[in-house]
Amino acid sequence: MTDYRRLRVALLGAGAVGSQVAALLLKHGDELADRAGAALDLVGISVRDLDAPRDVDLPRELLTTDPEPLLVGSDIVIELMGGIEPARTSILQAIGAGADIVTANKALLATHGPELFEAADQVGASIYYEAAAAGAIPIIRPLRDSLAGDRVQRIMGIVNGTTNYILDRMDRDGSDFAEVLADAQALGYAEADPTADVEGYDAAQKAAILASLAFHTAVPLNAVHREGITQIDADMMDAARKAGYVIKLLAVCERLSDAEVSPSGETISVRVYPALVPREHPLASVHGANNAVFVQAEAAGDLMFYGAGAGGVQTASAVLGDVVSAARRHIAGGVGVGESTRANLPVVPIGHVTTRYQITLEVEDRPGVLAAVAGLLSDGRVSIATLEQTIVTGDDVHTARLVIGTHTAREQDLSDTVGALSASGVVTRVVSVLRVEGD
Ligand code: NAP
């Protein structure tokens, strides 16, 4: 074996991802050394409980519950504990001691990213985080490096595997949300507490990370508009299917022009919500727990990144790619590549976004109702593109279900108009309001 310079690599966390990273580092050490140009010595693995069951057997002598020596004496620190603390403090300490960092921690980066990048900048260190968005799919490097010379206009991503699994099953079998969620939990696709996934928190963290990179702007998590999928039911899925759509939980990051908000006219919107996607759109064919990120750039055009968004060994692939990059940089020397956030574009609230909508209403089936609904939409600056009416005959009342597809409308106008429809007396029930993306 070539006599490479030796780098000390420390691992914090040996759970689903960390244990696979350790196993691959130990198994493919020689090959990785040839690629990195440095021998990668795994010097220790910090965990909470030395006796916790692990997915793979790891050398007992590498495990420790005392991370201190690892944080001060390593060239590369891989953080795979998750959560905010002690991950944040450990990373800051390791950066202060001269290490480059590899992490998959989206929650931490979405909330404390600027603080960590600033600390790394101060000492010329680098933070690598390919696994923090969309697991094994290479998307961070394409946005940070490959597309650095282009202008990203829009990203539409399916970045949460659990919700995609649930929505895909609902679409295919006509099952209801609660039933599929229970199956997903039994199969290990969903956590016992599924809130982070089904309420869109996990996708919002990834959206903040992707938008920050794509638009060279630090996007705080609280600027991301977030809605989950718990209100999606079998009827909505069925109606979507009949209209040629599928419902997907999307992370949408978009460059907009909004002279009201920004003197340059340039703004961005970052949002997570379930939306109708046309069946022929590439994102509509993302099935199961897979992820995909569809990027539209000014010069490059449309690009699609697809694959496993989670999974211990799959995510370990992205982590190890970062370890090799960190090792190469460490060997080459010089300062790390900092985050580019100088564009500093304002993030607009959801009310400023324009998109198309599908509104489903229940109304009384009597003369004048259609005209009243059309009038309220027109007063609210929401113009009708398509309208489908189905009569539902009950015992003593006749109701009609209206499915209205709109032209592009501003979200604030749409929501005011839906409020006016609800209060009008002609609408019995607003069944659903869904955005349409990707057509
Ligand atoms: P995990 O299975 O819960 O493992 C966490 C590991 O960190 C465990 O080994 C645990 O020790 C250790 N740990 C937790 N808190 C600690 C503390 N206070 N001190 C010392 N060690 C501590 O997590 P994971 O699924 O591997 O995820 C790790 C990171 O990767 C997270 O940031 C996650 O968001 C990200 N990620 C995960 C996936 C995935 O598919 N799992 C995909 C993409 C990104 P014990 O083993 O002793 O309990």
Side-chain angles (χ1 to χ4, degrees), residues 2 153 235 263 284 311 381 396:
T2 316
Q153 300 294 353
D235 279 355
R381 293 186 292 273
D396 30 57

Side-chain angles (χ1 to χ4, degrees), residues 155 211 215 219 223-225 252-256 267-271 273 346-350 352-354:
I155 296 176
F215 304 124
V219 175
V224 180
H225 176 85
V252 183
C253 314
E254 195 174 28
R255 198 186 281 274
L256 301 172
T267 60
I268 55 175
S269 155
V270 190
R271 52 198 199 261
Y273 48 50
V347 188
V348 293
I350 187 74
H352 290 241
V353 168
T354 59

Side-chain angles (χ1 to χ4, degrees), residues 13-18 46-49 52 54 80-82 86 104-106 131 135 309-312 315:
V17 184
S46 84
V47 293
R48 261 179 314 210
D49 174 2
R54 316 231 163 255
L80 292 169
M81 293 185 286
N105 195 331
K106 58 216 151 211
T315 306

Side-chain angles (χ1 to χ4, degrees), residues 402-422:
L402 303 181
V403 180
I404 300 163
T406 76
H407 286 294
T408 305
R410 197 170 154 101
E411 177 93 15
Q412 191 59 56
D413 291 339
L414 191 281
S415 111
D416 293 347
T417 304
V418 171
L421 285 165
S422 297

Side-chain angles (χ1 to χ4, degrees), residues 12-25:
L12 312 179
V17 184
S19 60
Q20 299 289 350
V21 166
L24 291 171
L25 252 179

